[in-house]
Amino acid sequence: MFNRNTGIILAVALAAGLGLLLAQKVFGPGKAGNHDSSSIVFYGTPRTLPDFDLAQSDGTRLIPGELRGHWTLVFLGFTSCPDICPTTLTELAGAQKQWENLPDSLRPRVVLVSVDPERDTPARLGEYAHAFHKDTLAATADIPSLERFATALGMVFQKAPGKHFDKNPADYSMDHSASIAVLDPEGRLAGLIRPPLNPQAIASDLLKLTEKSAP
């Protein structure tokens, strides 16, 4: 499938080109390249994201400053997604439950960014995201803004017309990368998590990262 294969190809290329130095700092020598011990593939140098401005489901704007202070997981999806999105959000919710007792000022965040703004209003998107976990943030924007944001994360998406799209413009799906972007407390792209997901490993890794970066 486009979304899974393209995401994995991008992930492999980026990981191979940028290395795993940050993971070595966090998880110790020799562990960065051991994918059995960590759910996250870290880039050698965290990358600052270009400016972005997305509409959140609570009416506020998601801008670079809003992603600072916490480790953040960003996933591209859409509410009409039949399989990958609900599965991913369910697995992420399993990880979120394991860090609910952390102070809000430190608690890792999960952000669902809809790549289907034609159908996903911020309100609808928020209801969908909160059905999986109350703390999940949800945001979207116009297509050009989403394309810039996705590209900055090393991800892709595109509309996939259905058989009756010519007669029914609503007959379409969205192909998108299935990986999850990992942003550090400075809002920089630090790495990614590739499917299949392991909620326990994700929770453990994010707790370690949060402990290491806590003031």
Side-chain angles (χ1 to χ4, degrees):
M1 293 180 61
F2 174 90
N3 50 3
R4 185 173 297 273
N5 290 340
T6 303
I8 291 176
I9 290 171
L10 284 170
V12 172
L14 287 169
L18 297 173
L20 304 173
L21 297 181
L22 181 58
Q24 291 175 348
K25 293 180 182 178
V26 175
F27 296 100
K31 294 184 179 180
N34 183 350
H35 299 297
D36 292 333
S37 64
S38 171
S39 65
I40 305 170
V41 176
F42 286 91
Y43 301 150
T45 302
R47 294 182 292 169
T48 300
L49 298 179
D51 287 342
F52 56 86
D53 187 348
L54 311 179
Q56 296 196 84
S57 60
D58 63 359
T60 63
R61 309 301 300 182
L62 183 65
I63 57 178
E66 294 297 314
L67 296 181
R68 292 176 184 155
H70 307 252
W71 284 90
T72 303
L73 305 182
V74 181
F75 174 66
L76 303 185
F78 62 111
T79 64
S80 302
C81 181
D83 43 28
I84 292 177
C85 301
T87 298
T88 297
L89 290 169
T90 297
E91 291 169 330
L92 288 176
Q96 288 172 280
K97 291 177 181 178
Q98 298 182 56
W99 62 59
E100 285 180 339
N101 291 330
L102 289 177
D104 181 65
S105 59
L106 297 176
R107 192 181 308 145
R109 293 181 294 184
V110 172
V111 182
L112 169 64
V113 175
S114 173
V115 294
D116 185 15
E118 291 183 40
R119 295 182 294 198
D120 291 345
T121 63
R124 177 183 180 183
L125 184 61
E127 292 178 0
Y128 178 80
H130 296 157
F132 294 91
H133 194 281
K134 61 181 178 62
D135 291 338
T136 300
L137 303 178
T140 190
D142 56 61
I143 292 296
S145 297
L146 290 170
E147 288 177 339
R148 289 192 295 271
F149 185 66
T151 299
L153 298 178
M155 298 183 180
V156 294
F157 69 90
Q158 70 175 10
K159 180 181 287 189
K163 294 181 180 179
H164 307 291
F165 180 74
D166 290 342
K167 296 181 179 179
N168 177 16
D171 180 26
Y172 69 89
S173 185
M174 298 297 298
D175 288 336
H176 59 89
S177 299
S179 297
I180 297 169
V182 181
L183 308 185
D184 69 13
E186 294 185 37
R188 301 173 302 179
L189 179 61
L192 57 82
I193 300 173
R194 297 178 294 188
L197 305 184
N198 181 328
Q200 181 61 47
I202 292 173
S204 177
D205 289 348
L206 268 293
L207 287 170
K208 289 177 184 177
L209 288 167
T210 298
E211 180 181 358
K212 290 283 186 178
S213 61

